[in-house]
Amino acid sequence: MEHTTLGTSGLKVGKICLGTMTFGERQVDEKTAFAILDRALERGIDFLDTAEMYPVPPSAERFGDTERILGRWFAQRPGARHKVVLATKVSGSARAYHWIRGGRAEVQPQDFIDACDASLKRLGTDVIDLYQIHWPVRHVPMFGGLYFDPAKDRPVLAVQAQLEALDRLVRAGKVRAVGLSNETPWGVMAFLREADKHGLPRVATVQNPYCLVNRVVDNGLDEVLHRERVSLLAYSPLGFGLLTGKYDARGLDDPANPGRLAIFDSMKQQRWGRPEALAAAKRYNALARAHGLAPTAMALAFCYRSWRVASTIIGVTSVAQLDECLDAWGTTLSPELLAEIDRIRWEIRDPGQ
């Protein structure tokens, strides 16, 4: 496993990160989660990502369950915690989730402190290596939104105040480095500007979607991250399963399909469930097969080998899926194939945005 340093933080992680948002709901029970984590450690994975709101789909009943599963795994595997870089996230504004901070849209500095303390307790650890803001506190288009709407702007906790709260956690030894998620180029620059201006923690990472059907990162954010030395953690590299090919024949409406887009109706209403996203995925999957590659291997190799991506976050529901994703590490894409991928993108852009 190749390693990289996250931003200017000094944290060294593998180029593949195991995401855990399926742990704790009906796709992955605790026994299976433990087997996946054991196998990941055995195969050299040393970077785990989670969040206080996991598992997904989010619910009041399961809020925090993924962190609890990880905490129990650490407790039953002496020494495992010290073998991994552990990342988790504090939720931004409550959005429609009434169970986050009682549904308050406003976020206060103490909310960061309280959320971190709760995550530390669930995870059974003294320190979080990378603590990320899951989505912006302010209004931005995300999770399928396309356009910024100034009419939806409202007063929110200032970026400086957010960084000051994170700084309290770093100074207390509870957090080693900080990051953002689902951020825009403006947002990244705002956090960097305030950090440099006031001597506050500099964000090390941005965790955003990046895959064949969603390359919005390429529309300017990539330059920001490169020039400002901030690392991209690419999530959903398989487009919620669209880029594995498992939906090509039967679509998203067959409940017998073993994927979350088929299982959860709420997922069909989101960006990955758009007909245009499935149509685009079919084209990429067909291209992979025409070049003698499994669709999963081509989609992952696109992220694994991109200069933009520091570490790719893979999400799996079985040990077999984990092995398939890790085995794709050795796949390389020829310049000719990358050019064909770009030709498809030129025609269809980013339907999974």
Side-chain angles (χ1 to χ4, degrees), residues 92-93 133-140 142 162 181-184:
S93 57
I133 301 176
H134 205 153
W135 56 82
V137 169
R138 69 190 189 283
H139 161 70
V140 295
M142 58 183 176
Q162 295 177 57
S181 186
N182 298 295
E183 258 299 359
T184 67

Side-chain angles (χ1 to χ4, degrees), residues 246-268:
K246 64 185 173 187
Y247 298 112
D248 286 6
R250 293 186 286 172
L252 308 183
D253 295 322
D254 186 345
N257 244 354
R260 58 186 36 244
L261 285 174
I263 294 171
F264 300 112
D265 288 338
S266 61
M267 297 290 182
K268 295 185 181 70

Side-chain angles (χ1 to χ4, degrees), residues 1-4 12-18 40-47 304-305 310-312 314 322 325-330:
M1 180 66 64
E2 292 183 14
H3 283 71
T4 188
K12 293 186 183 298
V13 301
K15 296 283 288 181
I16 302 176
C17 171
L18 178 62
L41 204 62
E42 177 188 331
R43 293 204 56 177
I45 293 293
D46 61 4
F47 189 15
Y304 288 168
R305 302 301 175 180
S311 190
T312 300
I314 57 172
L322 174 67
C325 291
L326 296 181
D327 290 345
W329 174 256

Side-chain angles (χ1 to χ4, degrees), residues 203-269:
V203 296
T205 58
V206 174
Q207 183 177 148
N208 275 22
Y210 190 65
C211 66
L212 292 172
V213 295
N214 184 340
R215 291 172 58 182
V216 176
V217 165
D218 294 344
N219 298 341
L221 182 57
D222 54 353
E223 182 184 6
V224 170
L225 301 182
H226 173 71
R227 296 193 184 281
E228 298 295 331
R229 293 188 297 163
V230 177
S231 295
L232 174 65
L233 306 180
Y235 78 76
S236 292
L238 296 175
F240 256 51
L242 291 177
L243 294 164
T244 66
K246 64 185 173 187
Y247 298 112
D248 286 6
R250 293 186 286 172
L252 308 183
D253 295 322
D254 186 345
N257 244 354
R260 58 186 36 244
L261 285 174
I263 294 171
F264 300 112
D265 288 338
S266 61
M267 297 290 182
K268 295 185 181 70
Q269 311 306 316

Side-chain angles (χ1 to χ4, degrees), residues 118-161:
S119 286
L120 287 167
K121 183 177 180 180
R122 287 189 291 263
L123 290 163
T125 187
D126 295 327
V127 63
I128 293 165
D129 298 308
L130 177 65
Y131 198 47
Q132 306 153 97
I133 301 176
H134 205 153
W135 56 82
V137 169
R138 69 190 189 283
H139 161 70
V140 295
M142 58 183 176
F143 302 126
L146 298 178
Y147 303 110
F148 173 70
D149 183 358
K152 294 181 180 179
D153 235 359
R154 55 181 174 76
V156 297
L157 185 66
V159 168
Q160 180 183 343

